[in-house]
Amino acid sequence: MELLVKRAKRGDAEAFITLMEENKQSMYKVARGFLRDQEDIADAMAETVLNCFEKIGALQHNGYFKTWMIRILINNCKDILQRQRRSIPTEDMPEPESRQTGGGREFRELIEPLKEQDRSIFTLYYVYGMKTREIAACMEMKENTVVSRLKRGRETLREEIG
């Protein structure tokens, strides 16, 4: 992958396309952990591809391409969520039928009592299967902070469940 990153940084469009294709499923899983609507997921992924293409020259360590890309994706997902909060109060909207189906619904409902940042950490850890070190890099925090938030979040969920 590092070779592809080097080529993409030099302006090789084919290398960049290959990088994005290799990471498409990972991007989808992360975006789905944050967003429910398929159109929003597609928007976040498209914006991420564009951002990565424009800023790949700023990537300092080629080996961290995936972490860097996921961080951009998370920021794009958060931007979409922020825009939605400003425009329509979601608690007043009935949930469309298409949102009521899907494998991740139960998990999203389960972690709803957690703070937004903790939900992000849980999604990256349990849905995406990222290690605490990778989450720390993506979320720009210390690994111990990620570990303690996971622990605290589990305790909160145990109390909620009963």
Side-chain angles (χ1 to χ4, degrees), residues 34-118:
F34 284 88
L35 306 167
R36 294 181 178 156
D37 186 63
Q38 291 297 319
E39 289 177 18
D40 290 339
I41 292 169
D43 288 347
M45 289 175 63
E47 187 68 24
T48 300
V49 170
L50 181 62
N51 293 150
C52 288
F53 183 75
E54 291 173 345
K55 299 175 183 173
I56 194 161
L59 177 63
Q60 294 177 2
H61 302 288
N62 295 343
Y64 291 115
F65 173 79
K66 189 171 183 176
T67 302
W68 174 76
M69 177 199 63
I70 295 295
R71 182 71 210 157
I72 292 171
L73 177 63
I74 290 169
N75 287 337
N76 287 331
C77 289
K78 286 181 177 182
D79 288 346
I80 289 170
L81 290 170
Q82 193 71 24
R83 283 193 299 268
Q84 289 172 347
R85 276 193 208 107
R86 277 190 245 137
S87 61
I88 301 171
T90 55
E91 62 269 6
D92 295 340
M93 289 179 50
E95 187 126 346
E97 285 297 314
S98 63
R99 290 185 182 175
Q100 292 179 359
T101 58
R105 187 178 131 245
E106 295 84 14
F107 181 76
R108 285 193 296 270
E109 288 175 358
L110 177 69
I111 64 172
E112 194 63 35
L114 301 176
K115 295 176 186 172
E116 183 179 332
Q117 193 169 38
D118 293 345

Side-chain angles (χ1 to χ4, degrees), residues 110 113 154-162:
L110 177 69
R154 287 185 202 111
E155 290 169 2
T156 300
L157 294 177
R158 274 190 208 105
E159 291 170 9
E160 288 285 325
I161 293 171

